Amino acid sequence: MSAELQWMCIRSSSCFLVKKNCGIFSSEPNNLANKHSYKYSMVRRKAVGMRSAGDKGVELLTKRVKYVRRPKTLFVATRLSRDRRRVYRTIRRKLGKTGYRRDLIEPAVRRASAILASQRPRKIKTAKKA
C-alpha cells in the first residue's frame, strides 16, 4: 500500500491525533515537529525520528526502506553522544549529504537541541546575603 493511500486513511482517525484549540497535533513517536501532517508522519517511505539516549546524548532513528514488513528491524538507531556541535554536524550529514530527507534537517537539529538542553544540569542559584 502506498504511503499516500495510508495517509488518506489515517489522517482523520489516527490514535496519535491530538486536537487542541490552537491546532491539530500528533503524538507519533517519530514525528519531529509534533504536527499532524504528511511531511512529518511515519507512514512516509523514509521517516526520521529523534529520542533521548539515556542521560547523555540522542539517538537518530531512520527508517529502512527495504524492511517494511519487518517491524522489529524497521528503524535503525544511531547513537550520538559527543559534544553538541558534532551531534548537529552528524545529523546534517546523515540527512542532507546522503540525500535521505533534506527537508527534515532543521526540525531534527531543533529536536536534538531541545533534548540535549534538557539533559544539561541545572544551575542552582544561591540567595544573596543582604
Side-chain angles (χ1 to χ4, degrees):
M1 189 184 292
S2 70
E4 290 84 11
L5 183 60
Q6 288 179 0
W7 174 250
M8 294 299 286
C9 292
I10 68 163
R11 75 176 179 175
S12 61
S13 62
S14 174
C15 66
F16 298 111
L17 188 62
V18 178
K19 293 181 180 179
K20 295 207 176 185
N21 291 338
C22 55
I24 300 173
F25 301 102
S26 177
S27 62
E28 289 178 336
N30 294 320
N31 191 330
L32 291 174
N34 291 334
K35 294 180 183 175
H36 185 67
S37 69
Y38 178 69
K39 178 180 178 179
Y40 300 109
S41 179
M42 55 184 203
V43 298
R44 300 267 315 232
R45 187 169 175 240
K46 295 179 177 180
V48 178
M50 190 79 56
R51 67 180 177 201
S52 176
D55 58 343
K56 185 177 179 184
V58 296
E59 283 187 351
L60 177 68
L61 301 169
T62 53
K63 191 175 182 181
R64 289 182 174 177
V65 178
K66 295 183 180 180
Y67 292 87
V68 177
R69 291 179 177 84
R70 298 180 193 168
K72 186 176 181 181
T73 59
L74 184 61
F75 285 97
V76 176
T78 306
R79 186 178 176 126
L80 308 171
S81 60
R82 290 192 166 200
D83 58 347
R84 294 184 321 174
R85 288 184 181 181
R86 288 188 184 182
V87 168
Y88 303 154
R89 185 174 61 195
T90 304
I91 292 170
R92 285 191 180 100
R93 284 184 180 170
K94 184 127 176 131
L95 298 180
K97 296 207 175 179
T98 59
Y100 191 76
R101 287 284 303 268
R102 291 184 180 152
D103 59 332
L104 294 181
I105 293 173
E106 289 307 314
V109 170
R110 285 182 188 152
R111 176 58 67 98
S113 175
I115 291 171
L116 292 173
S118 70
Q119 292 173 350
R120 274 187 258 156
R122 305 247 179 201
K123 293 181 181 177
I124 300 172
K125 294 182 181 180
T126 57
K128 293 182 182 179
K129 295 181 180 178

